[in-house]
Amino acid sequence: MANCFELDLPQYKQSLRDCCGFLDNLEFSAVKTKYNAKGNWDAVSIRGYSDDISNILKPGVLKSNVKTSHLRWTELYNTPSLLPIKEILSHIPAEFERVRVMRLRSGTKISKHTDKVDASIKKGDLVRLHVPLKTGPNVTMSLWKGKNAYTYNLETGNYYYVDVSSPHAVDNSEDFDRLHLVIDCYMNPRLSNVISSGK
């Protein structure tokens, strides 16, 4: 199975221009990982374990101060400028765990690493989708399958399955910040069919 591929989901209709302009002016929170020592990789929460858009963590992970297991939408979900995000999510046939907008600063990289999407449930129950909101041809994601690296350019307007349990790295060589909508979804038969047909 390929570890990154486009999904056949409906195209969203709304322009992302105002959405990205609004996001560019938000205060993001640095992703807490040793692969982000300079804080160039950060995020805001659309759905998570806190009402606070800056609280991007989950209970029991990375010294999180999240004390509840109750998921909720943050104020960003109903922000008029972010209606395109609501439309994008409406096309995904699944329940959501965390939904974040993740930013990678211009001219920076995320080095090779793997993610545990959710260590508390058995493998395969939670999958991660990426929807590029602001990107360009000089933003690449590399994923390794064994010793071989495969490089992808994820394009705006498309939905992608990304197997983040595989080693991967990201390079933003554009002169602007990359913005991705990163969606953790609970697997179900409809979503499984969408992913299986995209392989």
Side-chain angles (χ1 to χ4, degrees):
M1 176 176 168
N3 48 19
C4 179
F5 49 84
E6 186 180 342
L7 299 178
D8 184 15
L9 289 170
Q11 292 290 301
Y12 44 91
K13 307 294 184 186
Q14 298 185 61
S15 168
L16 294 173
R17 181 178 176 181
D18 290 345
C19 175
C20 291
F22 180 87
L23 290 166
D24 282 336
N25 288 300
L26 286 180
E27 186 172 337
F28 282 57
S29 297
V31 176
K32 293 184 178 179
T33 170
K34 64 182 180 180
Y35 305 102
N36 189 34
K38 295 182 179 179
N40 292 315
W41 182 28
D42 49 20
V44 290
S45 176
I46 305 292
R47 179 175 171 84
Y49 292 93
S50 171
D51 294 320
D52 183 356
I53 68 169
S54 68
N55 195 332
I56 58 175
L57 295 176
K58 62 199 307 180
V61 175
L62 298 171
K63 299 181 181 178
S64 166
N65 63 357
V66 177
K67 296 179 172 58
T68 176
S69 60
H70 177 62
L71 284 158
R72 77 287 305 268
W73 296 103
T74 70
E75 64 186 70
L76 294 180
Y77 182 68
N78 288 312
T79 298
S81 294
L82 300 185
L83 284 177
I85 287 177
K86 187 180 276 193
E87 182 192 351
I88 289 166
L89 294 172
S90 73
H91 295 312
I92 299 171
E95 282 188 53
F96 306 112
E97 197 229 13
R98 287 185 299 167
V99 178
R100 295 162 291 164
V101 175
M102 306 194 78
R103 175 175 65 182
L104 181 60
R105 292 290 193 178
S106 170
T108 67
K109 300 179 181 182
I110 306 168
S111 59
K112 184 178 178 182
H113 67 288
T114 59
D115 297 337
K116 292 181 179 179
V117 173
D118 193 337
S120 68
I121 58 177
K122 62 186 180 181
K123 185 177 179 183
D125 281 357
L126 200 68
V127 295
R128 182 163 291 170
L129 307 182
H130 277 244
V131 180
L133 303 176
K134 187 177 181 181
T135 190
N138 295 315
V139 179
T140 57
M141 176 177 281
S142 298
L143 289 101
W144 279 259
K145 201 166 187 179
K147 295 182 178 179
N148 298 318
Y150 301 88
T151 300
Y152 304 88
N153 175 245
L154 279 56
E155 298 180 353
T156 304
N158 298 324
Y159 300 73
Y160 295 90
Y161 166 81
V162 181
D163 179 5
V164 292
S165 68
S166 299
H168 57 284
V170 187
D171 183 348
N172 180 6
S173 294
E174 293 286 359
D175 59 1
F176 54 83
D177 298 339
R178 183 209 78 164
L179 295 172
H180 271 204
L181 183 62
V182 179
I183 308 152
D184 289 343
C185 305
Y186 293 105
M187 185 65 87
N188 64 45
R190 287 184 65 200
L191 182 60
S192 179
N193 286 339
V194 169
I195 291 173
S196 295
S197 65
K199 294 178 186 176

